[in-house]
Amino acid sequence: MKNGIRHPFIVIIALGVPGVGKTTVLKRTVELAKEKNIKIVIKNMGDYMLSEALRHGMVKNRDELRYLKIRQQLELQLYAAKAIIEDASKELGEGDVLIVDTHAVIKTKYGYWTGIPKQLVEVFKPDAFIIVEASIDEIISRQLRDTSRYRVDFAKPEIVKELMDLTRRNAYSAALFTSSLVKIVVNREGEVDRAAREVLSVIEGIR
Ligand code: ATP
Ligand code: AMP
Ligand code: MG
């Protein structure tokens, strides 16, 4: 596409409540895509924000990012988006796919904050937002089972419900700026493959 509305490669923004299984489903999507000769590169916003924050000694791990002052998070957020597009532009050509593993809403220490503001989606120019969902009980049990991460500040039914609701709202709002598709993919317990296949079918529907 040469109209400036899109990048040459396809851009998908993956969203969902912490612990719903985004990173897990996306990894499987890459494997399934290889069998179909579709090149997908996943970039995790948290990774980019973390490496920059570590460089400046601002945090010790990724789960401290949401405790930083909002203006610091704002700077890291835009830095990460620009760096992701810069890196992806070097790796990907027409028909290839960038998936950004991120969040539509951040539960900061100070309140809910958008993960996909206008200036960010104008950098990403996403073809689609994919919202990964599961039942509230499934999400909480995944959060508690995965001891590699600190997610106890999310592990309450009313908070998960609110985050799911805000994720949908923010995705539909952001989609207005960039004419993006919004697709909900349910990541059922023990059915990562099924969710990954759905993500792949969205990609096939775009390219
Ligand atoms: P975050 O936003 O905090 O990075 P995430 O959405 O990327 O979270 P993952 O790290 O992918 O979540 O998954 C959280 C936990 O749930 C992991 O232990 C993972 O193995 C497990 N999990 C993911 N999907 C499923 C599934 N369909 N069935 C059972 N367990 C799952
Ligand atoms: P994750 O591994 O996806 O949970 O990301 C780690 C952390 O990075 C999150 O808890 C947030 O603090 C931060 N983060 C990720 N995506 C965004 C975003 N779009 N906007 C602001 N912060 C983000
Ligand atoms: Mg993740």
Side-chain angles (χ1 to χ4, degrees):
M1 268 209 172
K2 293 189 172 60
N3 54 19
I5 298 172
R6 294 288 184 257
H7 291 287
F9 45 89
I10 289 163
V11 179
I12 308 282
I13 300 193
L15 307 167
V17 175
V20 69
K22 294 178 295 297
T23 302
T24 308
V25 169
L26 297 179
K27 254 190 209 157
R28 188 65 188 128
T29 307
V30 172
E31 290 167 4
L32 295 175
K34 269 192 197 136
E35 295 165 13
K36 298 193 171 197
N37 277 323
I38 301 172
K39 180 175 176 181
I40 301 182
V41 165
I42 312 273
K43 301 284 187 195
N44 183 294
M45 273 282 289
D47 286 350
Y48 277 75
M49 290 177 66
L50 177 62
S51 66
E52 186 65 1
L54 284 172
R55 213 163 63 79
H56 295 285
M58 296 158 83
V59 294
K60 291 189 202 68
N61 65 63
R62 65 198 303 120
D63 287 307
E64 285 180 12
L65 290 167
R66 61 183 179 271
Y67 292 85
L68 289 171
K69 294 286 165 63
I70 299 300
R71 283 206 174 180
Q72 290 181 308
Q73 293 187 55
L74 181 67
E75 273 201 31
L76 292 169
Q77 187 187 51
L78 191 59
Y79 161 83
K82 288 179 175 167
I84 286 172
I85 288 299
E86 204 180 308
D87 288 352
S89 300
K90 290 178 201 148
E91 293 170 58
L92 301 175
E94 214 160 308
D96 295 336
V97 183
L98 165 68
I99 305 185
V100 184
D101 182 352
T102 187
H103 297 269
V105 55
I106 314 299
K107 186 175 179 289
T108 74
K109 187 178 170 188
Y110 313 100
Y112 290 118
W113 187 57
T114 181
I116 43 172
K118 182 169 175 272
Q119 72 274 10
L120 214 77
V121 293
E122 285 175 349
V123 171
F124 284 133
K125 304 180 185 181
D127 292 87
F129 292 98
I130 291 185
I131 304 175
V132 180
E133 293 193 352
S135 75
I136 291 172
D137 288 349
E138 282 169 338
I139 293 172
I140 290 177
S141 87
R142 287 174 201 166
Q143 289 171 339
L144 298 176
R145 232 186 299 144
D146 180 8
T147 52
S148 70
R149 295 287 303 270
Y150 177 84
R151 297 191 184 101
V152 292
D153 49 347
F154 305 119
K156 289 193 187 79
E158 61 277 16
I159 290 174
V160 171
K161 189 175 182 309
E162 190 152 43
L163 285 170
M164 284 177 78
D165 184 37
L166 289 171
T167 295
R168 283 192 184 195
R169 285 168 191 264
N170 280 1
Y172 287 112
S173 304
L176 295 175
F177 297 122
T178 44
S179 307
S180 310
L181 185 77
V182 178
K183 169 75 178 173
I184 293 168
V185 168
V186 182
N187 178 25
R188 293 183 174 78
E189 195 63 16
E191 296 192 28
V192 171
D193 263 48
R194 182 167 159 184
R197 273 198 299 276
E198 260 192 75
V199 174
L200 200 52
S201 75
V202 174
I203 291 166
E204 289 177 312
I206 294 166
R207 74 202 282 272

